[in-house]
Amino acid sequence: MTNQTPNFYALLIGIDFYFPHDLPEGRYKNLRGCVRDINHVETYLKTTFNLTPDQIIKLTATASENPNQPQEAPELLPTYENIVAKFKELTAKAQPQDRVYIHYSGHGGRAKTIFESLKGFGGLDEALVPTDIGQPNSRYLRDLEFAKLLEEMVEKELVVTLVLDSCHSGGATREMSGDDRIRGEGFIDTTPRPRDSLVAPLQELAQNWQTATENSRNITVVNGLLPEPKGYTLIAACRDHEFAYEKVFEGTERNGALTYFLLKALRQHGTAISVEDLFNKISIQVNNEFVRQTPMLMGETDRTFLGSQSVGASRKVPVMKVDIKKNRVQLQMGQASGIKKGAEFDIFKFRTRDFKDSENRIATVKVVELKAADCWAEVTALYGIRTINNQLTEGMIKIGSPAVYLSPGLKQIRKVRLLLPDPLPPFQGVNIASISTKIEEVKTQVEGHRWIEFCSETETDENVDYFVSLNPEGEYWILDANKEPINNLLFPIKIDEPKATERLINRLIHVARYETILELDNEDAFAPLNRKLKVELVKSVKREQIVLNAEGKVPILEEGEENVTLVIRNDSHLTLNITMLDLQEDFSIVKSYPKKADYECLAPEKEINRKLNISLPENYQEGVEVIKVFATVDATNFQLLELPALDQPRPGVGDKKPTNALEQLLTAVVDEENPKRKITVVTDASEEWTTEKVEVVVKKSGV
């Protein structure tokens, strides 16, 4: 037990009991595990942080023998009025940098909007459902109100962590409404409700919402309940088309799946665990238990859970399952992220953050079965553990353990050839006699790299991806397959400058990796999602919406240009997970949307509208920016596709082949199906993902 923590506050809300009611479209049934969730959370916080009663605010509605009345007194019930009052009380009480934990277990719902000016006449409000929603003049805690309450905490510089163990009706079908394990219902409440708010005037709420979504329209996360979180950490029980389940996990007690696994992990690992590590563990455990429940992590994810200490982001893939009998693990990375059979990963102990520490390495695995969003990889080596025939045993690898990408599997090697003038002209300030030595040095150092290799003398230029030449100033040029200089390779490398060879090889590798991701595509002509993802650049001109990239056109835009919107539309019958990468002029690759989550759910026949920030990296006057949008059916990981700008260190993926003889043998797989080395995916997994891209020429204003 630690000493009393005066700068920690908690707001805990659990609702099992809903006053008897019948709404025109349906009713919110009683639940059985929400108050128990809250009581367990309260016990954990008191035990761990030695909190005093005035540091915990609790609102619960517990079912009693009287079907018309809960056990609690009216002032302790989670009514709309009490919830709003307790949010404001906590915000007033806490001081800047104090830690605040909010946990909600109960129903989520949808109702006819009271913000027609913002959402339109037929718009809907997502909401948390108070215990008295069936009473006359009762109100929902609506999305705009909830966002404002959290924004007030962020503005006061409170360190906020929010857990929502509920689902919302956006995904609950009527056919599933009889399942009493689900925390949500499938109807839209059109009952007339009071049109004022105890949180703030409606105009102020609308302005706050518009500011929070200023770069987007119709973009929300957490089942439509909140904008993309900024300034706080959020764990939600499920995606907006899924369900938050209850279950008897131990004994006879029923608990919410998210809350149960959250507390179990915290008891085991403590609160010093990073948010990312904690989430990887509990989300996979929940999804393994309920295939239709995929928790989401958003917001400030690079800190400790329930704390403010920054732990930094890491580039890794979590272990989803361990199959001891088949000696393999399931990883959350698949075809959509560009890997193939034969790709290799190192598995480390849970909570490892320094992946150069070989003491924490458990195993090396090789991908043997590939799906769109995940893969199965069998163990090829185990480290530091006495085993027989490299065979896994119980508990050796834990759910959520980090896997670090070693190699992409089937070779994606780009061919390089020297293209030098003969005889060599005199280069100012360069000793001609040393040039041949420098060139041989380049050839020698390229050997052993995963991404590039020099062509043999017998290979024709048709097989060459890049040519390396020298310009009259004695500077290295990198040319494309047509022997034209690759654009935007700024800051030339002189052949005799320090580390010239290393810089040249790093550039070749960086460009090779960039172009591999640029070409990543699902080329299965019969994949069901083909042409179901529409990506358009739309500009408003004299009140008319013009599609700039219609019929494959490449628009030319000036830096800082406004009124350009990226529209992503889902024309399939499935809810898709959307991730957007920006491949920028400086050869960086950045996940630009969503910023504070791994992906955004996009329902069938719906669209995301995001305003574009038209800009150029420093020192660039013009360039081509590529916006690449990925859509997957299941959750997956795109972290390892990101790249820094050219000439910057590339963390996360090794550039050199392993030196261990066994590992060399395992990576020596020939891509016989794809001699052009382009990533092409034609397997069963192609049914579950797709990608589209838009190219834009960006120029400095006046250029």
Side-chain angles (χ1 to χ4, degrees):
M1 182 180 298
T2 61
N3 293 328
Q4 179 178 319
T5 309
N7 63 336
F8 192 109
Y9 297 93
L11 173 57
L12 310 178
I13 304 170
I15 311 175
D16 282 338
F17 177 88
Y18 285 85
F19 282 92
H21 64 280
D22 285 302
L23 301 174
E25 295 80 10
R27 66 190 304 272
Y28 293 102
K29 62 182 179 293
N30 285 348
L31 297 168
R32 290 191 278 169
C34 298
V35 174
R36 187 175 294 113
D37 285 351
I38 292 306
N39 289 338
H40 286 325
V41 170
E42 179 185 30
T43 299
Y44 175 80
L45 294 176
K46 285 182 174 179
T47 302
T48 304
F49 296 101
N50 196 24
L51 300 184
T52 60
D54 67 327
Q55 291 176 275
I56 296 181
I57 299 173
K58 187 169 77 165
L59 297 173
T60 57
T62 308
S64 65
E65 294 181 358
N66 183 351
N68 298 314
Q69 192 68 35
Q71 294 182 15
E72 291 83 356
E75 65 271 15
L76 301 178
L77 291 176
T79 62
Y80 169 85
E81 291 79 6
N82 286 347
I83 292 173
V84 172
K86 296 306 181 184
F87 259 97
K88 290 183 173 293
E89 177 186 327
L90 191 154
T91 303
K93 181 186 297 184
Q95 298 302 310
Q97 304 308 313
D98 281 356
R99 290 173 291 170
V100 171
Y101 179 70
I102 303 166
H103 195 113
Y104 174 83
S105 290
H107 276 306
R110 291 192 299 175
K112 181 181 177 181
T113 187
I114 62 172
F115 301 97
E116 287 94 346
S117 61
L118 185 65
K119 298 187 178 184
F121 178 75
L124 302 175
D125 292 335
E126 304 285 349
L128 301 183
V129 186
T131 184
D132 61 339
I133 196 61
Q135 302 293 333
N137 296 320
S138 60
R139 288 178 277 195
Y140 290 93
L141 182 63
R142 299 174 186 263
D143 43 18
L144 273 69
E145 296 176 298
F146 195 26
K148 177 63 175 176
L149 291 170
L150 290 169
E151 177 63 24
E152 289 174 350
M153 290 183 169
V154 172
E155 287 181 348
K156 197 172 179 180
E157 299 182 7
L158 307 182
V159 181
V160 180
T161 303
L162 171 64
V163 173
L164 296 177
D165 197 349
S166 63
C167 62
H168 297 265
S169 56
T173 64
R174 294 184 185 274
E175 288 75 18
M176 290 292 293
S177 61
D179 191 338
D180 66 352
R181 299 174 300 165
I182 295 173
R183 296 178 174 181
E185 294 295 344
F187 62 85
I188 298 171
D189 186 2
T190 59
T191 306
R193 303 278 178 185
R195 300 182 62 84
D196 63 330
S197 170
L198 297 182
V199 176
L202 297 191
Q203 184 177 357
E204 183 179 338
L205 294 175
Q207 180 59 48
N208 180 72
W209 186 268
Q210 289 176 315
T211 300
T213 58
E214 60 184 350
N215 290 325
S216 313
R217 296 202 313 272
N218 304 328
I219 293 180
T220 55
V221 296
V222 201
N223 317 304
L225 184 62
L226 292 167
E228 196 172 353
K230 298 177 182 178
Y232 60 94
T233 301
L234 168 63
I235 297 178
C238 59
R239 295 180 288 180
D240 57 3
H241 60 293
E242 295 181 328
F243 308 96
Y245 285 91
E246 295 183 345
K247 180 183 174 180
V248 177
F249 290 95
E250 299 176 15
T252 60
E253 282 196 354
R254 191 167 185 163
N255 300 102
L258 177 66
T259 303
Y260 173 79
F261 286 113
L262 171 67
L263 289 174
K264 185 176 180 179
L266 288 174
R267 292 186 187 109
Q268 183 178 359
H269 300 290
T271 58
I273 188 173
S274 71
V275 172
E276 186 181 44
D277 286 341
L278 177 68
F279 176 78
N280 284 340
K281 189 176 186 71
I282 64 176
S283 65
I284 292 168
Q285 289 175 321
V286 169
N287 191 238
N288 287 345
E289 190 76 37
F290 298 106
V291 69
R292 301 189 68 180
Q293 181 173 351
T294 307
M296 296 184 68
L297 171 65
M298 290 143 280
E300 309 305 313
T301 62
D302 58 345
R303 67 189 192 193
T304 55
F305 189 72
L306 299 182
S308 57
Q309 181 181 352
S310 176
V311 293
S314 60
R315 299 165 63 83
K316 60 189 179 184
V317 180
V319 172
M320 301 172 68
K321 292 181 180 179
V322 180
D323 186 340
I324 294 176
K325 290 183 179 180
K326 294 186 177 181
N327 205 37
R328 62 181 189 169
V329 297
Q330 187 180 27
L331 304 177
Q332 195 179 55
M333 187 176 183
Q335 270 186 4
S337 298
I339 65 170
K340 287 191 172 185
K341 288 184 179 180
E344 291 182 294
F345 294 82
D346 269 347
I347 310 291
F348 286 79
K349 294 178 183 178
F350 184 65
R351 298 185 67 179
T352 296
R353 303 200 69 81
D354 180 7
F355 301 115
K356 295 180 181 179
D357 183 1
S358 60
E359 293 295 319
N360 285 326
R361 185 172 61 162
I362 302 173
T364 297
V365 297
K366 181 180 70 171
V367 174
V368 294
E369 183 181 325
L370 198 57
K371 298 180 181 179
D374 57 73
C375 64
W376 283 98
E378 66 180 16
V379 173
T380 58
L382 291 170
Y383 307 101
I385 304 169
R386 296 181 63 183
T387 60
I388 300 175
N389 297 326
N390 285 326
Q391 179 64 44
L392 288 173
T393 58
E394 189 71 35
M396 189 178 292
I397 296 178
K398 301 183 183 301
I399 300 300
S401 292
V404 178
Y405 197 24
L406 290 181
S407 70
L410 297 179
K411 286 189 176 182
Q412 304 301 327
I413 300 293
R414 301 274 170 158
K415 297 285 188 176
V416 181
R417 168 160 285 165
L418 291 171
L419 188 66
L420 301 176
D422 187 18
L424 288 172
F427 298 116
Q428 184 175 1
V430 179
N431 182 357
I432 295 180
S434 68
I435 292 179
S436 59
T437 303
K438 297 284 187 183
I439 297 301
E440 286 302 318
E441 185 180 279
V442 172
K443 288 184 177 181
T444 301
Q445 292 196 22
V446 163
E447 292 180 6
H449 281 275
R450 290 190 177 100
W451 297 91
I452 58 172
E453 67 182 17
F454 270 97
C455 292
S456 67
E457 294 182 1
T458 59
E459 290 182 272
T460 65
D461 283 357
E462 292 179 355
N463 294 324
V464 178
D465 297 289
Y466 308 120
F467 293 90
V468 174
S469 186
L470 290 168
N471 67 15
E473 284 72 39
E475 298 167 341
Y476 283 119
W477 270 2
I478 300 178
L479 314 178
D480 61 21
N482 297 317
K483 301 181 181 179
E484 295 292 333
I486 293 177
N487 292 330
N488 292 332
L489 291 177
L490 305 184
F491 309 110
I493 304 170
K494 285 194 68 76
I495 191 171
D496 60 343
E497 72 177 57
K499 297 187 177 180
T501 300
E502 181 181 333
R503 287 189 63 198
L504 173 63
I505 293 172
N506 276 331
R507 284 194 174 185
L508 286 165
I509 292 171
H510 194 113
V511 172
R513 287 177 55 179
Y514 178 94
E515 293 190 345
T516 297
I517 296 166
L518 176 66
E519 295 171 358
L520 175 59
D521 199 4
N522 185 340
E523 296 189 355
D524 181 356
F526 302 102
L529 289 180
N530 279 359
R531 296 176 295 279
K532 298 298 184 182
L533 180 69
K534 299 293 178 63
V535 182
E536 296 179 331
L537 277 179
V538 178
K539 184 176 182 179
S540 179
V541 179
K542 296 181 179 179
R543 298 184 179 180
E544 181 181 357
Q545 299 296 307
I546 299 175
V547 179
L548 300 179
N549 63 316
E551 299 178 350
K553 294 178 182 177
V554 179
I556 300 175
L557 301 174
E558 288 190 351
E559 186 177 34
E561 193 164 345
E562 298 179 349
N563 300 323
V564 179
T565 301
L566 184 76
V567 180
I568 305 170
R569 181 172 178 81
N570 178 8
D571 286 339
S572 77
H573 67 283
L574 301 170
T575 295
L576 299 176
N577 300 322
I578 302 298
T579 304
M580 187 169 81
L581 300 180
D582 278 1
L583 286 79
Q584 300 177 336
E585 295 83 352
D586 59 359
F587 294 91
S588 63
I589 300 178
V590 178
K591 182 173 74 66
S592 57
Y593 177 79
K595 285 283 191 183
K596 299 292 185 178
D598 286 337
Y599 51 82
E600 167 66 12
C601 295
L602 183 58
E605 305 302 323
K606 298 295 183 180
E607 64 183 35
I608 292 170
N609 294 263
R610 182 169 178 81
K611 292 181 180 179
L612 283 190
N613 177 21
I614 310 299
S615 62
L616 282 166
E618 187 179 0
N619 299 311
Y620 285 80
Q621 299 297 309
E622 179 180 333
V624 176
E625 182 170 342
V626 179
I627 301 166
K628 200 168 180 70
V629 181
F630 292 85
T632 63
V633 174
D634 294 321
T636 191
N637 192 308
F638 288 97
Q639 288 185 22
L640 296 180
L641 297 191
E642 295 186 80
L643 282 175
L646 191 68
D647 296 333
Q648 299 301 311
R650 293 181 297 275
V653 183
D655 291 329
K656 288 188 176 182
K657 296 175 185 175
T659 56
N660 178 279
L662 174 61
E663 294 181 10
Q664 286 183 353
L665 178 63
L666 293 172
T667 56
V669 183
V670 179
D671 189 355
E672 297 175 352
E673 298 177 355
N674 189 12
K676 294 184 179 180
R677 300 174 302 283
K678 180 179 178 181
I679 292 182
T680 305
V681 183
V682 187
T683 71
D684 292 342
S686 64
E687 297 181 0
E688 300 176 340
W689 76 283
T690 190
T691 181
E692 295 289 342
K693 68 180 181 182
V694 175
E695 295 186 1
V696 182
V697 175
V698 182
K699 293 187 175 185
K700 285 282 188 183
S701 179
V703 174

